[in-house]
Structure formats: C-alpha cells, structure tokens
Amino acid sequence: AIAQNLEEESTAVRAAVRTLLKSVKFATVDCLRTAIAALLLDFNRNTDDGVEIMIVLRHVGHRHAHFVAVLVDELLRLDRRFDPKEPSVDDSYYVCVLIVVLAAAAVLPRIVPLLPP
C-alpha cells in the first residue's frame, strides 16, 4: 500500500515514500519483492529521480540481504537450465536489479556463487 504512493505526481510525496522504503525492515520476501517492483516502475516512470531511486535500491538490498538471496534467480531472470546471456548494461532494469543484488552480496557473501559466471 505504501509503495502505491510512488505513483503520486508530487515529487515531495515520492521522495518521502523513498525515504521510508530506505529505512524500513520488510517482514517477508513478498514484501521485498513488491517494494522492488514498485521502485523499478518508479524508475521507469520518473527518470529524473533515477539516481535517488538507485540509492533506495542499494539500501533495500543492503538491509534485506537474506531475502535478496532467495530472489536472485527471479530478479536476474535466470533459468539455471540454460547458460545465461548477460543483459546489456544499457538495460535500466538490469542495472537497478544489480544494485540490489550486489548491495546484498556485500553483506551476505554467499550470494556471490548464485550469480552467473
């Protein structure tokens, strides 16, 4: 419900929601998944806020490393049956997701072996 406020036209409201998302501790993997999805939509919708959104994604990954570990395959769109093709660094979705995953890996090194070679 809070993440829905990222759709507000008011930059002040969106900034306040992002500040909140940086500091909360999510209770479940689903809560984290929802927050990341909302931030990714926010990134696509409000490109001028891109740097701020990436900072929030870094905080979210750092604070929820154990949950991110569960979501690595989903976030990076990995199918372990096939060799992964690395997306372009021009793909903003990929860059944003990497920020989350690498911030989590800095806290929880067991994420690193989950990453594609």
Side-chain angles (χ1 to χ4, degrees), residues 14-60:
R14 290 194 314 268
V17 172
R18 290 187 204 116
T19 299
L20 179 65
L21 290 174
K22 278 195 308 193
S23 59
V24 299
K25 189 78 168 159
F26 296 111
T28 67
V29 171
D30 285 335
C31 289
L32 177 63
R33 181 185 290 120
T34 300
I36 291 171
L39 286 163
L40 292 171
L41 285 172
D42 187 26
F43 185 87
N44 287 333
R45 206 177 301 116
N46 302 297
T47 55
D48 291 344
D49 299 343
V51 172
E52 183 184 347
I53 295 166
M54 288 180 180
I55 291 168
V56 175
L57 287 166
R58 181 177 55 85
H59 281 275
V60 167

Tab-separated table of all heavy atoms in Angstrom, residues 14-60:
chain	number	residue	atom	x	y	z
A	14	ARG	N	6.659	11.333	-3.364
A	14	ARG	CA	7.507	10.225	-3.826
A	14	ARG	C	8.816	10.183	-3.045
A	14	ARG	O	9.276	9.112	-2.638
A	14	ARG	CB	7.790	10.348	-5.326
A	14	ARG	CG	6.579	10.087	-6.196
A	14	ARG	CD	6.936	9.872	-7.658
A	14	ARG	NE	7.883	10.834	-8.196
A	14	ARG	CZ	7.562	11.969	-8.804
A	14	ARG	NH1	6.286	12.303	-8.956
A	14	ARG	NH2	8.490	12.775	-9.280
A	15	ALA	N	9.401	11.334	-2.797
A	15	ALA	CA	10.654	11.391	-2.032
A	15	ALA	C	10.445	10.879	-0.610
A	15	ALA	O	11.298	10.162	-0.073
A	15	ALA	CB	11.199	12.814	-2.018
A	16	ALA	N	9.318	11.232	-0.002
A	16	ALA	CA	9.024	10.767	1.359
A	16	ALA	C	8.848	9.249	1.399
A	16	ALA	O	9.342	8.580	2.321
A	16	ALA	CB	7.773	11.463	1.889
A	17	VAL	N	8.182	8.714	0.396
A	17	VAL	CA	7.990	7.261	0.342
A	17	VAL	C	9.337	6.566	0.159
A	17	VAL	O	9.611	5.555	0.807
A	17	VAL	CB	7.004	6.875	-0.786
A	17	VAL	CG1	6.951	5.368	-0.982
A	17	VAL	CG2	5.615	7.417	-0.487
A	18	ARG	N	10.172	7.110	-0.687
A	18	ARG	CA	11.509	6.513	-0.888
A	18	ARG	C	12.328	6.557	0.402
A	18	ARG	O	13.032	5.600	0.727
A	18	ARG	CB	12.240	7.225	-2.018
A	18	ARG	CG	11.639	6.929	-3.368
A	18	ARG	CD	12.506	7.523	-4.475
A	18	ARG	NE	11.688	7.740	-5.642
A	18	ARG	CZ	11.415	8.923	-6.176
A	18	ARG	NH1	11.932	10.027	-5.662
A	18	ARG	NH2	10.652	9.022	-7.235
A	19	THR	N	12.243	7.645	1.128
A	19	THR	CA	12.942	7.748	2.409
A	19	THR	C	12.447	6.668	3.361
A	19	THR	O	13.246	6.026	4.049
A	19	THR	CB	12.738	9.147	3.029
A	19	THR	OG1	13.283	10.115	2.133
A	19	THR	CG2	13.409	9.256	4.383
A	20	LEU	N	11.157	6.464	3.371
A	20	LEU	CA	10.576	5.422	4.208
A	20	LEU	C	11.068	4.041	3.777
A	20	LEU	O	11.470	3.224	4.618
A	20	LEU	CB	9.043	5.484	4.141
A	20	LEU	CG	8.277	4.446	4.931
A	20	LEU	CD1	8.523	4.629	6.422
A	20	LEU	CD2	6.788	4.555	4.633
A	21	LEU	N	11.065	3.775	2.480
A	21	LEU	CA	11.499	2.467	1.981
A	21	LEU	C	12.973	2.195	2.279
A	21	LEU	O	13.368	1.043	2.458
A	21	LEU	CB	11.233	2.358	0.477
A	21	LEU	CG	9.764	2.270	0.068
A	21	LEU	CD1	9.626	2.321	-1.448
A	21	LEU	CD2	9.106	1.034	0.633
A	22	LYS	N	13.777	3.249	2.357
A	22	LYS	CA	15.198	3.074	2.699
A	22	LYS	C	15.372	2.600	4.136
A	22	LYS	O	16.347	1.929	4.445
A	22	LYS	CB	15.961	4.403	2.550
A	22	LYS	CG	16.371	4.707	1.163
A	22	LYS	CD	17.419	5.799	1.056
A	22	LYS	CE	17.117	7.075	1.753
A	22	LYS	NZ	18.015	8.174	1.364
A	23	SER	N	14.441	2.955	4.990
A	23	SER	CA	14.660	2.702	6.417
A	23	SER	C	13.840	1.565	7.011
A	23	SER	O	14.133	1.138	8.119
A	23	SER	CB	14.396	3.984	7.209
A	23	SER	OG	13.076	4.416	7.000
A	24	VAL	N	12.834	1.073	6.302
A	24	VAL	CA	12.010	0.012	6.877
A	24	VAL	C	12.693	-1.340	6.751
A	24	VAL	O	13.586	-1.533	5.934
A	24	VAL	CB	10.597	-0.069	6.222
A	24	VAL	CG1	9.835	1.204	6.420
A	24	VAL	CG2	10.691	-0.440	4.764
A	25	LYS	N	12.256	-2.262	7.582
A	25	LYS	CA	12.710	-3.647	7.524
A	25	LYS	C	11.508	-4.479	7.110
A	25	LYS	O	10.516	-4.558	7.835
A	25	LYS	CB	13.233	-4.071	8.899
A	25	LYS	CG	13.913	-5.384	8.902
A	25	LYS	CD	15.308	-5.262	8.342
A	25	LYS	CE	16.062	-6.550	8.631
A	25	LYS	NZ	17.186	-6.719	7.755
A	26	PHE	N	11.563	-5.066	5.915
A	26	PHE	CA	10.435	-5.842	5.419
A	26	PHE	C	10.334	-7.174	6.150
A	26	PHE	O	11.350	-7.792	6.469
A	26	PHE	CB	10.560	-6.066	3.910
A	26	PHE	CG	10.501	-4.789	3.125
A	26	PHE	CD1	11.616	-4.309	2.477
A	26	PHE	CD2	9.334	-4.053	3.063
A	26	PHE	CE1	11.575	-3.117	1.767
A	26	PHE	CE2	9.283	-2.858	2.358
A	26	PHE	CZ	10.402	-2.391	1.710
A	27	ALA	N	9.104	-7.607	6.376
A	27	ALA	CA	8.871	-8.819	7.158
A	27	ALA	C	8.965	-10.095	6.331
A	27	ALA	O	9.266	-11.157	6.868
A	27	ALA	CB	7.497	-8.747	7.823
A	28	THR	N	8.710	-9.996	5.033
A	28	THR	CA	8.685	-11.192	4.195
A	28	THR	C	9.363	-10.940	2.852
A	28	THR	O	9.551	-9.791	2.440
A	28	THR	CB	7.238	-11.654	3.909
A	28	THR	OG1	6.593	-10.670	3.088
A	28	THR	CG2	6.450	-11.874	5.204
A	29	VAL	N	9.670	-12.024	2.168
A	29	VAL	CA	10.230	-11.942	0.819
A	29	VAL	C	9.223	-11.272	-0.117
A	29	VAL	O	9.604	-10.479	-0.977
A	29	VAL	CB	10.613	-13.354	0.312
A	29	VAL	CG1	10.999	-13.321	-1.160
A	29	VAL	CG2	11.734	-13.939	1.141
A	30	ASP	N	7.940	-11.582	0.055
A	30	ASP	CA	6.918	-10.973	-0.798
A	30	ASP	C	6.862	-9.457	-0.630
A	30	ASP	O	6.669	-8.733	-1.607
A	30	ASP	CB	5.539	-11.582	-0.525
A	30	ASP	CG	5.401	-12.974	-1.110
A	30	ASP	OD1	6.115	-13.282	-2.093
A	30	ASP	OD2	4.582	-13.753	-0.598
A	31	CYS	N	7.024	-8.980	0.592
A	31	CYS	CA	7.063	-7.523	0.819
A	31	CYS	C	8.237	-6.903	0.075
A	31	CYS	O	8.094	-5.856	-0.572
A	31	CYS	CB	7.180	-7.220	2.309
A	31	CYS	SG	5.717	-7.570	3.271
A	32	LEU	N	9.388	-7.553	0.156
A	32	LEU	CA	10.570	-7.051	-0.543
A	32	LEU	C	10.343	-7.073	-2.049
A	32	LEU	O	10.650	-6.101	-2.747
A	32	LEU	CB	11.804	-7.877	-0.182
A	32	LEU	CG	13.073	-7.481	-0.925
A	32	LEU	CD1	13.495	-6.060	-0.585
A	32	LEU	CD2	14.185	-8.468	-0.631
A	33	ARG	N	9.804	-8.164	-2.552
A	33	ARG	CA	9.527	-8.293	-3.985
A	33	ARG	C	8.619	-7.156	-4.460
A	33	ARG	O	8.872	-6.532	-5.496
A	33	ARG	CB	8.884	-9.645	-4.263
A	33	ARG	CG	8.566	-9.889	-5.726
A	33	ARG	CD	7.802	-11.198	-5.939
A	33	ARG	NE	8.668	-12.343	-5.695
A	33	ARG	CZ	8.454	-13.284	-4.768
A	33	ARG	NH1	7.383	-13.214	-3.981
A	33	ARG	NH2	9.271	-14.302	-4.641
A	34	THR	N	7.582	-6.870	-3.692
A	34	THR	CA	6.633	-5.804	-4.037
A	34	THR	C	7.314	-4.440	-4.028
A	34	THR	O	7.095	-3.625	-4.929
A	34	THR	CB	5.442	-5.823	-3.058
A	34	THR	OG1	4.799	-7.098	-3.152
A	34	THR	CG2	4.450	-4.722	-3.362
A	35	ALA	N	8.137	-4.201	-3.034
A	35	ALA	CA	8.836	-2.914	-2.940
A	35	ALA	C	9.802	-2.725	-4.107
A	35	ALA	O	9.860	-1.648	-4.707
A	35	ALA	CB	9.581	-2.816	-1.609
A	36	ILE	N	10.554	-3.763	-4.450
A	36	ILE	CA	11.489	-3.663	-5.567
A	36	ILE	C	10.730	-3.418	-6.868
A	36	ILE	O	11.124	-2.559	-7.674
A	36	ILE	CB	12.380	-4.920	-5.664
A	36	ILE	CG1	13.344	-4.981	-4.477
A	36	ILE	CG2	13.152	-4.951	-6.984
A	36	ILE	CD1	14.122	-6.275	-4.358
A	37	ALA	N	9.640	-4.144	-7.072
A	37	ALA	CA	8.835	-3.953	-8.293
A	37	ALA	C	8.311	-2.525	-8.372
A	37	ALA	O	8.337	-1.900	-9.442
A	37	ALA	CB	7.689	-4.958	-8.321
A	38	ALA	N	7.855	-1.984	-7.252
A	38	ALA	CA	7.340	-0.610	-7.231
A	38	ALA	C	8.448	0.392	-7.536
A	38	ALA	O	8.234	1.363	-8.272
A	38	ALA	CB	6.698	-0.309	-5.880
A	39	LEU	N	9.633	0.160	-6.987
A	39	LEU	CA	10.758	1.068	-7.248
A	39	LEU	C	11.207	0.993	-8.713
A	39	LEU	O	11.564	1.998	-9.309
A	39	LEU	CB	11.919	0.756	-6.309
A	39	LEU	CG	11.706	1.209	-4.867
A	39	LEU	CD1	12.678	0.520	-3.921
A	39	LEU	CD2	11.823	2.722	-4.759
A	40	LEU	N	11.154	-0.197	-9.298
A	40	LEU	CA	11.513	-0.332	-10.708
A	40	LEU	C	10.510	0.397	-11.598
A	40	LEU	O	10.890	1.046	-12.574
A	40	LEU	CB	11.621	-1.812	-11.095
A	40	LEU	CG	12.786	-2.568	-10.461
A	40	LEU	CD1	12.667	-4.053	-10.736
A	40	LEU	CD2	14.118	-2.035	-10.951
A	41	LEU	N	9.230	0.300	-11.257
A	41	LEU	CA	8.210	1.051	-12.001
A	41	LEU	C	8.421	2.556	-11.825
A	41	LEU	O	8.287	3.322	-12.775
A	41	LEU	CB	6.810	0.665	-11.544
A	41	LEU	CG	6.290	-0.692	-12.021
A	41	LEU	CD1	4.973	-1.029	-11.340
A	41	LEU	CD2	6.126	-0.692	-13.531
A	42	ASP	N	8.742	2.942	-10.607
A	42	ASP	CA	9.020	4.350	-10.308
A	42	ASP	C	10.205	4.833	-11.150
A	42	ASP	O	10.183	5.938	-11.688
A	42	ASP	CB	9.312	4.497	-8.814
A	42	ASP	CG	9.443	5.929	-8.353
A	42	ASP	OD1	8.857	6.833	-8.982
A	42	ASP	OD2	10.122	6.154	-7.329
A	43	PHE	N	11.225	4.009	-11.278
A	43	PHE	CA	12.397	4.362	-12.077
A	43	PHE	C	11.997	4.606	-13.535
A	43	PHE	O	12.445	5.563	-14.155
A	43	PHE	CB	13.447	3.246	-11.987
A	43	PHE	CG	14.732	3.572	-12.678
A	43	PHE	CD1	15.735	4.247	-12.018
A	43	PHE	CD2	14.934	3.209	-14.001
A	43	PHE	CE1	16.932	4.560	-12.647
A	43	PHE	CE2	16.122	3.518	-14.643
A	43	PHE	CZ	17.112	4.190	-13.965
A	44	ASN	N	11.160	3.737	-14.071
A	44	ASN	CA	10.719	3.881	-15.465
A	44	ASN	C	9.816	5.095	-15.652
A	44	ASN	O	9.848	5.739	-16.690
A	44	ASN	CB	9.993	2.620	-15.938
A	44	ASN	CG	10.958	1.483	-16.165
A	44	ASN	OD1	12.120	1.689	-16.460
A	44	ASN	ND2	10.480	0.267	-16.005
A	45	ARG	N	9.017	5.398	-14.654
A	45	ARG	CA	8.046	6.487	-14.730
A	45	ARG	C	8.684	7.852	-14.475
A	45	ARG	O	8.287	8.846	-15.060
A	45	ARG	CB	6.945	6.233	-13.689
A	45	ARG	CG	5.624	6.847	-14.015
A	45	ARG	CD	4.543	6.518	-12.988
A	45	ARG	NE	4.296	5.094	-12.840
A	45	ARG	CZ	4.516	4.396	-11.720
A	45	ARG	NH1	4.977	4.968	-10.640
A	45	ARG	NH2	4.252	3.108	-11.677
A	46	ASN	N	9.641	7.894	-13.579
A	46	ASN	CA	10.240	9.166	-13.141
A	46	ASN	C	11.747	9.136	-13.354
A	46	ASN	O	12.524	9.083	-12.392
A	46	ASN	CB	9.902	9.409	-11.664
A	46	ASN	CG	8.412	9.446	-11.424
A	46	ASN	OD1	7.721	10.309	-11.947
A	46	ASN	ND2	7.897	8.488	-10.661
A	47	THR	N	12.151	9.197	-14.587
A	47	THR	CA	13.570	9.061	-14.915
A	47	THR	C	14.443	10.150	-14.288
A	47	THR	O	15.612	9.905	-14.014
A	47	THR	CB	13.774	9.027	-16.440
A	47	THR	OG1	13.167	10.191	-17.005
A	47	THR	CG2	13.167	7.786	-17.047
A	48	ASP	N	13.865	11.307	-14.034
A	48	ASP	CA	14.643	12.372	-13.390
A	48	ASP	C	15.036	12.011	-11.963
A	48	ASP	O	15.976	12.575	-11.404
A	48	ASP	CB	13.860	13.687	-13.373
A	48	ASP	CG	13.690	14.283	-14.762
A	48	ASP	OD1	14.425	13.862	-15.686
A	48	ASP	OD2	12.837	15.164	-14.924
A	49	ASP	N	14.313	11.077	-11.362
A	49	ASP	CA	14.586	10.648	-9.988
A	49	ASP	C	15.481	9.404	-9.952
A	49	ASP	O	15.640	8.785	-8.911
A	49	ASP	CB	13.274	10.324	-9.272
A	49	ASP	CG	12.331	11.508	-9.173
A	49	ASP	OD1	12.792	12.652	-9.362
A	49	ASP	OD2	11.133	11.289	-8.918
A	50	GLY	N	16.053	9.044	-11.100
A	50	GLY	CA	16.791	7.789	-11.224
A	50	GLY	C	17.880	7.569	-10.201
A	50	GLY	O	17.971	6.502	-9.603
A	51	VAL	N	18.705	8.564	-9.965
A	51	VAL	CA	19.809	8.403	-9.009
A	51	VAL	C	19.262	8.157	-7.607
A	51	VAL	O	19.734	7.273	-6.894
A	51	VAL	CB	20.746	9.630	-9.037
A	51	VAL	CG1	21.770	9.565	-7.919
A	51	VAL	CG2	21.425	9.740	-10.388
A	52	GLU	N	18.252	8.928	-7.224
A	52	GLU	CA	17.651	8.746	-5.895
A	52	GLU	C	17.059	7.339	-5.755
A	52	GLU	O	17.206	6.697	-4.715
A	52	GLU	CB	16.573	9.803	-5.663
A	52	GLU	CG	15.953	9.722	-4.287
A	52	GLU	CD	14.815	10.711	-4.078
A	52	GLU	OE1	14.644	11.634	-4.887
A	52	GLU	OE2	14.100	10.537	-3.080
A	53	ILE	N	16.402	6.866	-6.797
A	53	ILE	CA	15.789	5.531	-6.759
A	53	ILE	C	16.874	4.464	-6.648
A	53	ILE	O	16.727	3.493	-5.886
A	53	ILE	CB	14.898	5.322	-7.992
A	53	ILE	CG1	13.718	6.295	-7.950
A	53	ILE	CG2	14.400	3.877	-8.066
A	53	ILE	CD1	12.950	6.434	-9.248
A	54	MET	N	17.975	4.632	-7.362
A	54	MET	CA	19.073	3.665	-7.258
A	54	MET	C	19.664	3.633	-5.852
A	54	MET	O	20.023	2.565	-5.346
A	54	MET	CB	20.158	3.993	-8.285
A	54	MET	CG	19.766	3.690	-9.691
A	54	MET	SD	21.125	4.124	-10.809
A	54	MET	CE	20.420	3.673	-12.378
A	55	ILE	N	19.727	4.778	-5.206
A	55	ILE	CA	20.217	4.828	-3.825
A	55	ILE	C	19.271	4.056	-2.911
A	55	ILE	O	19.705	3.304	-2.030
A	55	ILE	CB	20.395	6.288	-3.363
A	55	ILE	CG1	21.569	6.927	-4.113
A	55	ILE	CG2	20.598	6.376	-1.849
A	55	ILE	CD1	21.673	8.429	-3.961
A	56	VAL	N	17.980	4.218	-3.120
A	56	VAL	CA	16.992	3.477	-2.318
A	56	VAL	C	17.157	1.978	-2.563
A	56	VAL	O	17.144	1.180	-1.614
A	56	VAL	CB	15.552	3.933	-2.639
A	56	VAL	CG1	14.540	3.080	-1.891
A	56	VAL	CG2	15.367	5.401	-2.300
A	57	LEU	N	17.328	1.578	-3.817
A	57	LEU	CA	17.504	0.157	-4.138
A	57	LEU	C	18.745	-0.409	-3.442
A	57	LEU	O	18.731	-1.537	-2.944
A	57	LEU	CB	17.592	-0.038	-5.648
A	57	LEU	CG	16.269	0.136	-6.401
A	57	LEU	CD1	16.516	0.272	-7.897
A	57	LEU	CD2	15.312	-1.003	-6.110
A	58	ARG	N	19.798	0.380	-3.383
A	58	ARG	CA	21.017	-0.069	-2.682
A	58	ARG	C	20.732	-0.303	-1.197
A	58	ARG	O	21.116	-1.324	-0.627
A	58	ARG	CB	22.139	0.949	-2.853
A	58	ARG	CG	23.439	0.520	-2.158
A	58	ARG	CD	24.568	1.503	-2.397
A	58	ARG	NE	24.256	2.872	-2.030
A	58	ARG	CZ	24.391	3.376	-0.794
A	58	ARG	NH1	24.807	2.610	0.186
A	58	ARG	NH2	24.096	4.630	-0.558
A	59	HIS	N	20.039	0.641	-0.580
A	59	HIS	CA	19.687	0.490	0.842
A	59	HIS	C	18.801	-0.737	1.057
A	59	HIS	O	19.003	-1.481	2.015
A	59	HIS	CB	18.956	1.740	1.348
A	59	HIS	CG	19.856	2.881	1.656
A	59	HIS	ND1	20.499	3.033	2.863
A	59	HIS	CD2	20.236	3.941	0.911
A	59	HIS	CE1	21.229	4.128	2.849
A	59	HIS	NE2	21.090	4.705	1.663
A	60	VAL	N	17.838	-0.911	0.193
A	60	VAL	CA	16.915	-2.048	0.315
A	60	VAL	C	17.683	-3.367	0.208
A	60	VAL	O	17.485	-4.287	1.008
A	60	VAL	CB	15.795	-1.952	-0.751
A	60	VAL	CG1	15.027	-3.251	-0.861
A	60	VAL	CG2	14.857	-0.798	-0.423
